[in-house]
Amino acid sequence: MKSRSSGSVIRLAAPLRALAQRFSFLLLVLASIALMMVGKIESVSVDSARARVTDAFAPILDAISRPAATAARVVESVVELENAFDENQRLKAENARLLQWKQAALRLEAENSSLRSLLRVRPEPSVNYIAARVIATPGSSFVRTLVVTAGKRDGVRKGQAALAGAGLVGRVIEVGEWSSRILLLTDINARVPVVLANTRQRAILAGDNSDQAKLLYLPPESPIQVGEQVVTSGDGGLFPSGLPVGVVTAVSERGVRVLPSADLSRIEHLRLVDFGLPGTDLDPSPEWK
């Protein structure tokens, strides 16, 4: 009898197990729907429970994240330390090179001073200049001058050179308390001793109230070419030697024409330069009057 009852139980359990396996997925879906309905019905309770769970796991997550953040900071510090070491080595090398250049400069300075003392070279006087703005061009067909906003109160004196950008523009011929007048190179009264850069031929640059000046007192058949630079010669003490004046633009039977280095028609600002020459602040020569 016992064997019969146990066999019947086994035969009954097998269909029940099969039935449970068949409907297990459906039971899980129903359980999920039930939980969602409970969450909707009692959202406050569910949110509170979720918050408690989050609070419970927060210390654990914080403890887990700390080693990772610490490791990241350690790696960053190591990289920064390596970069600082490389930068330090580069700066040391650069400092060593600069020290070498400093020593070379000191040796050259001492050698230069020694050679100057042997040759008895007198150093050139310091150059002072005053910046001035052009406020008027009271020129005509017979006069080419400029008026600038600098005068005696600014230290302007007669005879000072007027420079603009690329080279010589003219000379101060009249000084007021607040303004000064500049006689341009192209004025018919202007005369400047010059020398040609290549041939070293000396001449006088003379204006004729046109956009270009001409060279006077050149020897016949002088080997002058178009494009040759013209600079001041320093003769007469009006200007120091080497100031750019212009460039030769034409060589013909009618003479040698020179275009000024500075565009005299577009001058807005000038530098009135005191080269410390002994002739400065004297009355202009008749050629400049």
Side-chain angles (χ1 to χ4, degrees):
M1 292 294 292
K2 186 180 290 186
S3 61
R4 287 182 180 179
S5 60
S6 61
S8 61
V9 171
I10 292 173
R11 286 193 300 268
L12 183 62
L16 291 175
R17 189 182 299 110
L19 184 62
Q21 290 177 354
R22 181 177 300 176
F23 293 101
S24 59
F25 178 74
L26 181 60
L27 292 175
L28 291 174
V29 172
L30 293 175
S32 300
I33 295 174
L35 289 174
M36 292 174 62
M37 293 179 64
V38 171
K40 290 293 184 180
I41 295 173
E42 299 182 3
S43 59
V44 178
S45 301
V46 173
D47 291 341
S48 178
R50 187 184 299 116
R52 285 204 237 18
V53 171
T54 303
D55 290 339
F57 279 96
I60 299 174
L61 295 174
D62 182 61
I64 294 174
S65 65
R66 285 181 183 277
T70 303
R73 285 196 296 269
V74 170
V75 172
E76 185 178 355
S77 299
V78 171
V79 173
E80 291 180 354
L81 183 62
E82 184 178 359
N83 293 335
F85 178 78
D86 294 340
E87 181 71 11
N88 188 33
Q89 295 299 316
R90 187 186 66 80
L91 291 175
K92 283 184 178 180
E94 184 177 351
N95 189 37
R97 289 195 300 271
L98 290 176
L99 288 176
Q100 292 177 356
W101 281 109
K102 180 181 178 181
Q103 295 300 323
L106 291 175
R107 288 195 301 269
L108 290 175
E109 183 181 8
E111 182 180 356
N112 189 25
S113 177
S114 177
L115 292 175
R116 282 179 177 272
S117 63
L118 289 176
L119 296 175
R120 296 181 179 178
V121 176
R122 186 178 64 181
E124 296 181 358
S126 59
V127 176
N128 299 317
Y129 70 89
I130 302 164
R133 183 169 57 89
V134 177
I135 58 174
T137 56
S140 63
S141 301
F142 306 100
V143 179
R144 296 210 169 195
T145 60
L146 300 176
V147 177
V148 297
T149 57
K152 292 180 181 179
R153 64 184 180 90
D154 303 299
V156 179
R157 299 183 299 168
K158 284 185 179 180
Q160 289 180 343
L163 304 179
L168 183 68
V169 169
R171 182 188 183 203
V172 178
I173 60 169
E174 183 180 308
V175 182
E177 196 66 30
W178 305 92
S179 63
S180 302
R181 187 182 298 271
I182 311 298
L183 186 69
L184 298 179
L185 295 175
T186 53
D187 188 272
I188 196 171
N189 298 304
R191 300 290 187 273
V192 179
V194 296
V195 61
L196 285 89
N198 296 339
T199 62
R200 308 309 299 172
Q201 180 65 55
R202 295 180 182 272
I204 296 295
L205 184 80
D208 58 2
N209 286 347
S210 67
D211 293 334
Q212 299 187 19
K214 58 185 178 180
L215 293 181
L216 302 179
Y217 310 120
L218 283 170
E221 300 181 357
S222 298
I224 302 174
Q225 296 181 355
V226 174
E228 190 167 358
Q229 296 292 325
V230 180
V231 298
T232 56
S233 64
D235 297 337
L238 295 176
F239 306 109
S241 60
L243 294 180
V245 174
V247 59
V248 176
T249 58
V251 180
S252 64
E253 295 180 354
R254 302 178 59 183
V256 179
R257 307 294 296 182
V258 176
L259 180 67
S261 299
D263 188 352
L264 303 184
S265 63
R266 298 183 179 181
I267 298 176
E268 296 182 357
H269 296 85
L270 290 175
R271 285 179 299 160
L272 307 180
V273 185
D274 184 2
F275 290 99
L277 299 176
T280 307
D281 204 22
L282 298 178
D283 290 335
S285 62
E287 297 171 336
W288 283 84
K289 289 183 179 179

